[in-house]
Amino acid sequence: MSRLVPPHGGGELRPLLLSGEELNKEKEKAKGLPRIKMSSRETSDLIMLGIGAFTPLDGFMGKEDWKGVCDDYLMSNGRLFWPIPITLSTTKEQADSLKEGSEAALIDEETGELMGSITVKEKYTIDKVHECKQVFKTDDTEHPGVAKVMSQGDINIAGPVKVFSESYYPGQFKGLYMRPAESRKMFEEKGWSTIAALQLRNPMHRSHEYLAKIAIEICDGVFIHQLVGKLKPGDIPADVRTQAIDVLVEKYFVKDTCIQGGYPMEMRYAGPREALLHAVFRQNFGCSHLLVGRDHAGVGEYYGPFDAHHIFNEIPKGSLELQPLKIDWTFYCFKCDGMASMKTCPHGKDDRLILSGTMLRKMLSEGAEVPDHFSRPEVLAILQDFYSKLEDKVEVKLHKYAEGA
Amino acid sequence: MSRLVPPHGGGELRPLLLSGEELNKEKEKAKGLPRIKMSSRETSDLIMLGIGAFTPLDGFMGKEDWKGVCDDYLMSNGRLFWPIPITLSTTKEQADSLKEGSEAALIDEETGELMGSITVKEKYTIDKVHECKQVFKTDDTEHPGVAKVMSQGDINIAGPVKVFSESYYPGQFKGLYMRPAESRKMFEEKGWSTIAALQLRNPMHRSHEYLAKIAIEICDGVFIHQLVGKLKPGDIPADVRTQAIDVLVEKYFVKDTCIQGGYPMEMRYAGPREALLHAVFRQNFGCSHLLVGRDHAGVGEYYGPFDAHHIFNEIPKGSLELQPLKIDWTFYCFKCDGMASMKTCPHGKDDRLILSGTMLRKMLSEGAEVPDHFSRPEVLAILQDFYSKLEDKVEVKLHKYAEGA
């Protein structure tokens, strides 16, 4: 019998997405409410709340929760582990016009869509620099996650939300987009109880395949879980990634050992803290394990390559039911005669096949031959095709050695 | 900080080996006691009790424990999980001469050494066929474990023991033989808390190396734990195995990711039940995980190749703190371009390099070339040397495809 890991917090999944009569009623009502415009990060967080991926949260966080999460990874009830603030902001002017206890409509500023509503419980200011230093370990606005926080509205609005829409995600990522209740159902139908999530925002080369296969060796299956929310410029678009992963899975994985899913969150690039958030919501999706590779959810040089490993030892025991599968830097080694990592390969630099992201991109965009063993030929063909059609061949700064997850 | 898994039962290690003044006193006393001759299995069990590997047992089991263990994997207190009876037998004649509450000396029938003493708490008869069917799933006396039970004395003697000696093990397997307190100390000194034990009674080919490396990828380290107790004829002797493992570890493992140890138990070949016993005492040695491959501790065709995987799901939750790492049948696959298992390789038979044990032995003993990718050349050289010196080239029935652990 399948015994999945419980949702975060130990209770039931808590999706906040309305449907049917209730949805119509609340949407109608919201048309007459003051409108708060949400950034793309806030919108994607609202959808995560909607599908139950942020279970057991009931809305955007108040000041005590914000502070507890920033400083101690803990909600203000002192019990629930949470690693990154989930907040909504607006201008001082609009905040002044919102009465506590009143409702407001939530609008996606990019699409203009009415996404949900909030009951305003609290309006508060935060020390943005403090949040950034705690969450991102930096207040450098070159960091894309920091930039988002620093440019958000000056007043945070907190309170329970009702969610009306999942935006374009279910349509645009049909077959990939998946809600926690759906992934759990699929796992149960397969009789799985141990599932490792593989966070992915890049195509899968041999290194990622190796991570996935380590997980398959010891778990019932792997959940290749792609971010389909916003990325930074230069990252490969989700449809190309999906094509490349599809062919890899078809040719190199045993049938029914891996499920692909997409989730609508926007990358914050918060490195170790984001790895913890990945763990929290993967548990909601029914995963018992999370693969944590090198520079997980990192960007630039802000985090040590294994900070996201260490942080799982720093949080209080029992914070998560999900267990991290921490994997070192991986590569093909000629002496090992297969894939290996710094933990399993004792050989030298010259025995290992290591390509920088920049070098790989150059090879792909120029149609040059990528050395054997680095990636599957079927995957390379798709990427070569993508790059050959790119008009704008602007060089984008990629990670120095390998592409983080 | 290193936080090792607790010994089985949750308390302290319980080594029953005496030392110093107490040892001298008890040995002196034992010289005047009636002598019970122990079989090699009973002797090795006594040593396992002596070094604390069978923590928290205090001696040989009584009838209620025997029955609970056979039928429900439980000691008669209803709480302590134990998978295989640990019992001592003697003849009816000798049993009649032993009074309950009296002491007896325990003699290794093979070496004649005084190994310890027992306080006779209980004398009882068992249904040997029942034990065999429960533990070995067969009462076929062709099964080496069954044969031992069926030929043991008719009366079991139960009671707490004092252990005087570890026999020839510390001397003969110097540097390899290790007590649970010692392995725990080594793990702690390395700062390890997650350690996977690799049960070994054969040389390590690529398949075993692959198991060990999967474990190293996700744990702090691996404990290559060799059985140095009695094997069945045709198995490769411990010193040759050790040489072969030494060279493999030196050339193909990262320094300080793996520790070798030897333990004095005799193989029972009880397949799934023995896998559970392996788990119990590995936990005592400080291991958090046990690699369980194909046909673990099996012999002949008595067990399904993955019975030892399934049994971990059948025992009550919480029976063990140690977790099994269940790995499918492994091999080199040309299309995968590396090691893989039935769970990770979707390709066909012709893409995989699979040698039967019989075929491998034939190649080695005839000095024929073993195909690339099956084993490391340094390992093969040692085995070829061993086989070339064997006078007696009797064909021994090995497992059909790969050698079990």
Side-chain angles (χ1 to χ4, degrees):
Chain A
M1 201 198 59
S2 172
R3 285 181 299 188
L4 295 180
V5 74
H8 186 55
E12 299 283 302
L13 276 181
R14 193 170 182 173
L16 306 174
L17 195 63
L18 303 184
S19 63
E21 201 44 51
E22 199 185 2
L23 173 62
N24 294 335
K25 203 189 84 189
E26 293 292 334
K27 258 179 114 163
E28 201 49 43
K29 186 166 85 179
K31 286 180 184 163
L33 296 175
R35 296 155 64 88
I36 299 177
K37 283 191 179 162
M38 296 182 296
S39 70
S40 56
R41 188 199 77 205
E42 292 163 344
T43 301
S44 69
D45 283 350
L46 184 74
I47 302 173
M48 292 290 276
L49 287 162
I51 60 180
F54 281 168
T55 294
L57 302 189
D58 69 350
F60 289 106
M61 290 179 185
K63 183 147 192 178
E64 284 305 302
D65 287 336
W66 173 83
K67 192 172 156 34
V69 167
C70 282
D71 296 349
D72 303 310
Y73 306 101
L74 271 186
M75 298 288 280
S76 59
N77 64 12
R79 287 189 308 273
L80 188 74
F81 171 79
W82 202 274
I84 291 185
I86 305 298
T87 58
L88 173 69
S89 72
T90 187
T91 58
K92 183 164 185 322
E93 193 182 354
Q94 176 162 46
D96 285 343
S97 76
L98 293 169
K99 276 214 301 219
E100 284 183 19
S102 71
E103 284 181 278
L106 299 172
I107 312 294
D108 177 354
E109 69 174 2
E110 292 191 351
T111 63
E113 187 183 355
L114 169 64
M115 296 295 298
S117 67
I118 184 167
T119 302
V120 180
K121 277 253 175 112
E122 189 186 349
K123 304 182 284 185
Y124 62 101
T125 56
I126 57 164
D127 179 346
K128 289 181 182 178
V129 170
H130 181 71
E131 174 170 331
C132 290
K133 285 187 174 166
Q134 291 295 99
V135 172
F136 299 102
K137 291 184 164 181
T138 175
D139 60 354
D140 180 357
T141 52
E142 293 287 305
H143 184 298
V146 170
K148 282 263 171 174
V149 172
M150 296 311 289
S151 66
Q152 74 190 24
D154 285 333
I155 310 291
N156 279 3
I157 305 291
V161 298
K162 297 186 174 100
V163 184
F164 303 161
S165 167
E166 296 162 279
S167 188
Y168 52 81
Y169 291 106
Q172 187 168 330
F173 301 102
K174 207 170 166 160
L176 187 66
Y177 181 76
M178 203 178 287
R179 301 167 193 95
E182 291 167 335
S183 59
R184 286 180 166 267
K185 188 155 169 266
M186 290 183 76
F187 299 155
E188 274 168 3
E189 281 168 1
K190 289 189 189 295
W192 292 359
S193 54
T194 51
I195 300 104
L198 177 64
Q199 157 71 17
L200 217 59
R201 59 179 163 106
N202 277 305
M204 282 177 82
H205 300 296
R206 290 286 299 273
S207 278
H208 296 106
E209 181 188 327
Y210 181 55
L211 299 193
K213 288 190 168 177
I214 290 172
I216 293 174
E217 294 294 9
I218 61 159
C219 293
D220 295 327
V222 77
F223 187 41
I224 300 180
H225 208 197
Q226 286 200 60
L227 184 131
V228 295
K230 275 216 171 165
L231 293 161
K232 57 182 171 50
D235 283 347
I236 290 180
D239 58 333
V240 179
R241 272 186 278 144
T242 304
Q243 262 185 63
I245 294 168
D246 277 344
V247 71
L248 180 73
V249 167
E250 188 199 324
K251 302 265 184 199
Y252 296 95
F253 283 74
V254 175
K255 205 169 171 302
D256 272 341
T257 55
C258 102
I259 291 178
Q260 285 193 64
Y263 67 99
M265 203 176 77
E266 180 168 309
M267 279 300 290
R268 284 168 164 83
Y269 302 95
R273 283 262 191 165
E274 188 149 354
L276 295 176
L277 186 62
H278 287 169
V280 164
F281 73 75
R282 259 48 175 262
Q283 193 179 317
N284 287 331
F285 276 92
C287 299
S288 57
H289 294 77
L290 172 68
L291 285 154
V292 186
R294 188 177 163 280
D295 198 24
H296 188 103
V299 65
E301 308 283 320
Y302 294 100
Y303 311 108
F306 298 106
D307 285 1
H309 286 189
H310 307 321
I311 203 167
F312 281 90
N313 300 335
E314 290 157 17
I315 57 174
K317 217 186 156 176
S319 296
L320 289 163
E321 294 246 353
L322 172 146
Q323 295 174 47
L325 291 177
K326 304 171 187 174
I327 316 277
D328 209 307
W329 186 11
T330 60
F331 42 76
Y332 183 89
C333 167
F334 292 92
K335 274 203 182 149
C336 286
D337 188 32
M339 295 301 297
S341 82
M342 297 294 285
K343 268 184 94 180
T344 50
C345 164
H347 306 118
K349 222 173 121 185
D350 295 343
D351 304 313
R352 296 170 181 161
L353 177 63
I354 290 169
L355 283 188
S356 73
T358 313
M359 185 64 81
L360 175 67
R361 189 169 194 264
K362 194 169 145 62
M363 286 169 169
L364 288 170
S365 59
E366 289 172 358
E369 206 146 316
V370 177
D372 276 353
H373 311 294
F374 181 82
S375 192
R376 302 299 185 180
E378 298 88 344
V379 171
L380 290 176
I382 289 168
L383 298 179
Q384 268 152 354
D385 182 59
F386 164 71
Y387 280 106
S388 72
K389 289 174 186 156
L390 265 192
E391 295 281 314
D392 164 23
K393 299 209 179 184
V394 178
E395 192 64 21
V396 172
K397 194 186 161 203
L398 290 176
H399 294 175
K400 208 165 164 193
Y401 295 111
E403 292 167 335
Chain B
M1 201 200 59
S2 171
R3 286 179 300 189
L4 294 181
V5 73
H8 187 55
E12 299 283 303
L13 276 182
R14 192 170 183 174
L16 306 174
L17 195 62
L18 303 184
S19 62
E21 200 44 51
E22 199 185 0
L23 172 63
N24 293 336
K25 202 189 85 189
E26 292 293 335
K27 259 180 112 165
E28 200 51 43
K29 186 168 84 180
K31 286 180 184 163
L33 296 175
R35 296 157 65 88
I36 298 178
K37 283 192 179 162
M38 297 183 295
S39 71
S40 56
R41 188 199 77 205
E42 291 162 346
T43 301
S44 68
D45 283 351
L46 184 74
I47 302 172
M48 292 291 275
L49 287 162
I51 61 180
F54 282 167
T55 295
L57 302 189
D58 69 351
F60 289 105
M61 291 179 184
K63 183 145 193 180
E64 284 304 303
D65 287 336
W66 173 84
K67 192 171 156 36
V69 167
C70 284
D71 296 350
D72 303 311
Y73 305 101
L74 271 186
M75 298 288 281
S76 59
N77 64 13
R79 288 188 308 273
L80 187 75
F81 171 78
W82 202 273
I84 291 188
I86 305 298
T87 57
L88 172 68
S89 72
T90 186
T91 58
K92 186 167 183 317
E93 194 182 354
Q94 177 161 47
D96 285 342
S97 76
L98 293 170
K99 275 212 303 219
E100 284 182 19
S102 71
E103 285 182 277
L106 298 173
I107 312 294
D108 177 354
E109 70 174 1
E110 291 190 352
T111 64
E113 187 182 355
L114 170 63
M115 295 295 298
S117 66
I118 185 169
T119 302
V120 180
K121 277 255 175 111
E122 189 186 348
K123 303 182 284 186
Y124 63 101
T125 56
I126 56 165
D127 179 345
K128 290 181 182 178
V129 170
H130 180 71
E131 174 171 331
C132 291
K133 285 186 173 167
Q134 292 295 101
V135 171
F136 299 102
K137 290 184 164 181
T138 176
D139 60 354
D140 179 356
T141 51
E142 292 288 305
H143 184 297
V146 170
K148 282 262 172 176
V149 172
M150 296 310 290
S151 66
Q152 74 191 23
D154 285 333
I155 310 291
N156 278 4
I157 305 291
V161 298
K162 297 186 174 102
V163 184
F164 303 161
S165 167
E166 295 163 279
S167 189
Y168 52 82
Y169 291 107
Q172 186 167 332
F173 301 102
K174 207 170 168 162
L176 187 66
Y177 181 77
M178 204 179 286
R179 301 168 193 95
E182 291 166 335
S183 58
R184 286 181 165 266
K185 187 154 170 268
M186 291 183 77
F187 299 155
E188 275 169 0
E189 282 169 358
K190 289 189 187 296
W192 291 0
S193 53
T194 52
I195 299 103
L198 177 63
Q199 157 71 19
L200 218 59
R201 60 177 162 106
N202 278 305
M204 284 177 81
H205 299 296
R206 290 286 299 272
S207 278
H208 296 107
E209 181 188 328
Y210 181 56
L211 298 194
K213 289 188 167 176
I214 291 171
I216 292 173
E217 294 294 8
I218 61 160
C219 292
D220 295 327
V222 77
F223 187 41
I224 299 180
H225 208 196
Q226 286 201 59
L227 184 130
V228 295
K230 276 217 172 167
L231 294 160
K232 58 182 170 47
D235 284 348
I236 290 180
D239 58 333
V240 179
R241 273 186 278 144
T242 304
Q243 261 185 64
I245 295 167
D246 277 344
V247 71
L248 180 73
V249 167
E250 189 200 323
K251 302 265 184 200
Y252 295 95
F253 282 75
V254 174
K255 203 169 171 304
D256 271 342
T257 56
C258 102
I259 290 178
Q260 285 193 65
Y263 67 99
M265 204 176 77
E266 179 169 310
M267 280 299 289
R268 284 168 164 83
Y269 302 95
R273 283 263 191 163
E274 187 148 355
L276 294 175
L277 187 62
H278 286 169
V280 165
F281 74 75
R282 258 51 174 260
Q283 194 179 314
N284 287 331
F285 276 91
C287 299
S288 57
H289 294 77
L290 173 68
L291 284 154
V292 185
R294 186 177 164 278
D295 198 23
H296 189 103
V299 65
E301 309 283 321
Y302 295 101
Y303 311 107
F306 298 106
D307 285 1
H309 286 188
H310 307 321
I311 203 166
F312 281 90
N313 301 334
E314 291 158 16
I315 57 174
K317 218 185 154 175
S319 296
L320 288 163
E321 294 245 354
L322 172 146
Q323 296 174 47
L325 291 177
K326 305 170 186 176
I327 316 279
D328 209 308
W329 186 11
T330 61
F331 42 76
Y332 183 88
C333 167
F334 292 92
K335 274 202 182 147
C336 286
D337 189 31
M339 295 301 298
S341 81
M342 297 296 285
K343 269 184 94 181
T344 51
C345 164
H347 305 120
K349 223 173 118 184
D350 295 343
D351 304 312
R352 296 171 181 160
L353 177 63
I354 290 169
L355 283 189
S356 73
T358 314
M359 185 64 80
L360 175 68
R361 188 170 196 265
K362 194 168 145 59
M363 286 168 169
L364 289 170
S365 60
E366 289 172 359
E369 205 146 317
V370 177
D372 276 353
H373 310 293
F374 181 81
S375 193
R376 301 299 183 181
E378 298 87 344
V379 170
L380 291 175
I382 288 168
L383 297 180
Q384 268 152 353
D385 181 59
F386 164 71
Y387 280 107
S388 72
K389 289 175 186 155
L390 265 192
E391 296 280 315
D392 165 24
K393 298 209 180 185
V394 178
E395 192 65 21
V396 173
K397 195 186 160 203
L398 290 177
H399 295 175
K400 210 167 163 191
Y401 296 110
E403 292 168 336

